[in-house]
Amino acid sequence: MDGTLITSDTPMSLSTESLSSWKRRQIDTLIVVGGNGVFSAKEDAHLLACVKRLATRSRRVGSICNGAFILAACGLLNGRRAVTHWESCDKLAASYPAIQVETDPIFLEDDHVWTSAGVTAGIDMAIAMIAEDLGRTAALTLARSLVTYLVRPGGQSQFSEALDLQTADGAGRFDILHEWMQNNLKQDLRIERLAAEAGMSSRNFSRAYLSHTGRTPAKAVEAMRVEAARRMLEEGNTSINIIAGRCGFGDVERMRRSFIRILSVSPQAYRSSF
């Protein structure tokens, strides 16, 4: 706030300028970073007032990682699509219902307000800003220099746990069924089989499952199979064809379509990245 030397959570310190020294200056791009101090900072009324004033003098506003919580506390994300690190997306959505929080994008732009996922996603967002300002050629030249993607393949679901059934089913209604499903992915897991395992009729099972988990049984099975396949791709050199069979996809093409649908990346590309 006052322009002193700031000690970070790394061995490095940062030289700063006071926020008040910027209150009458025009700003092209105002970026709020994330970090361990975000959740106490968003309770600082003076800081939020300064950020809001600076935002009104900025052509473009952005956040990196959980810096989105500062923008949210300032009301700058109300009515907008936004993203933050996948570990904090649920908290952002619960804390600020007026924001349309999306969990998968690496970054999002809504009008002049940008938000990004984890720390390195700030690089992706910055390159996209440069592409918007100076064109694709300039952005591509910078991306090559940084040895990074111009557009990163897939979203942040590649890095998170794609399957969140235990969290979604807060009452634990289907915990035993989920454990059985995870141990029997190679079997035929159509609704009739799952309903029988749960001791319910197919119709009642479908309704109850959707109500408790927020997704259909078929989508849950697909997500479990993708999650299992992800782990096998990360942990060894088993062929993709064998992984597809062991995880219950039946063939490589079905597995590929599921990966594209859930992770926005093919199994081969996922293995190459991870």
Side-chain angles (χ1 to χ4, degrees):
M1 291 293 293
D2 56 8
T4 57
L5 192 68
I6 300 297
T7 302
S8 73
D9 57 1
T10 74
M12 299 183 67
S13 296
L14 301 174
S15 176
T16 73
E17 296 181 21
S18 68
L19 285 179
S20 60
S21 70
W22 282 83
K23 64 183 180 182
R24 301 190 190 283
R25 299 163 68 179
Q26 288 300 123
I27 300 172
D28 182 81
T29 303
L30 174 70
I31 294 182
V32 179
V33 300
N36 294 336
V38 159
F39 297 106
S40 58
K42 73 182 183 67
E43 305 300 329
D44 185 333
H46 183 41
L47 171 66
L48 298 183
C50 287
V51 172
K52 283 191 273 190
R53 279 198 300 271
L54 294 179
T56 63
R57 307 184 69 83
S58 303
R59 179 176 69 91
R60 175 169 56 200
V61 178
S63 65
I64 297 173
C65 196
N66 60 12
F69 283 85
I70 300 294
L71 297 188
C74 290
L76 297 171
L77 299 181
N78 288 347
R80 300 187 187 278
R81 298 163 60 233
V83 69
T84 186
H85 191 283
W86 62 268
E87 291 179 318
S88 298
C89 282
D90 288 346
K91 184 173 184 177
L92 183 64
S95 302
Y96 302 97
I99 302 171
Q100 183 182 334
V101 179
E102 299 190 15
T103 59
D104 192 47
I106 298 296
F107 65 86
L108 279 173
E109 175 190 6
D110 191 325
D111 192 13
H112 68 293
V113 180
W114 299 57
T115 50
S116 64
V119 173
T120 59
I123 300 173
D124 300 78
M125 182 177 73
I127 290 173
M129 288 177 173
I130 290 166
E132 181 177 80
D133 293 350
L134 304 177
R136 186 177 184 278
T137 300
L140 180 58
T141 299
L142 177 60
R144 284 174 172 161
S145 177
L146 295 175
V147 197
T148 190
Y149 292 106
L150 179 63
V151 180
R152 192 192 309 204
Q156 63 172 331
S157 58
Q158 296 175 72
F159 304 89
S160 67
E161 293 294 332
L163 188 60
D164 240 349
L165 288 172
Q166 300 295 347
T167 302
D169 183 13
R173 171 69 175 80
F174 294 106
D175 281 357
I176 295 175
L177 176 65
H178 289 153
E179 183 176 357
W180 180 85
M181 290 163 66
Q182 288 167 344
N183 292 328
N184 293 274
L185 292 176
K186 195 173 180 179
Q187 294 193 34
D188 182 352
L189 298 182
R190 281 179 285 193
I191 286 178
E192 294 79 10
R193 179 68 191 280
L194 298 176
E197 195 65 31
M200 304 172 68
S201 70
S202 296
R203 186 173 184 180
N204 286 338
F205 171 71
S206 294
R207 289 177 175 174
Y209 193 89
L210 180 61
S211 174
H212 279 78
T213 69
R215 71 177 79 190
T216 66
K219 292 293 185 185
V221 170
E222 181 183 42
M224 282 188 177
R225 285 174 169 156
V226 167
E227 185 64 20
R230 284 176 54 175
R231 294 185 186 280
M232 293 183 71
L233 289 168
E234 292 169 2
E235 294 170 358
N237 296 316
T238 306
S239 75
I240 291 177
N241 190 55
I242 291 175
I243 291 174
R246 288 180 180 175
C247 295
F249 289 104
D251 59 58
V252 172
E253 179 55 27
R254 286 197 182 99
M255 178 170 153
R256 189 192 70 81
R257 289 200 298 265
S258 290
F259 264 66
I260 295 295
R261 188 158 41 242
I262 293 177
L263 303 180
S264 301
V265 67
S266 71
Q268 186 61 54
Y270 184 87
R271 167 167 273 173
S272 297
S273 296
F274 292 94

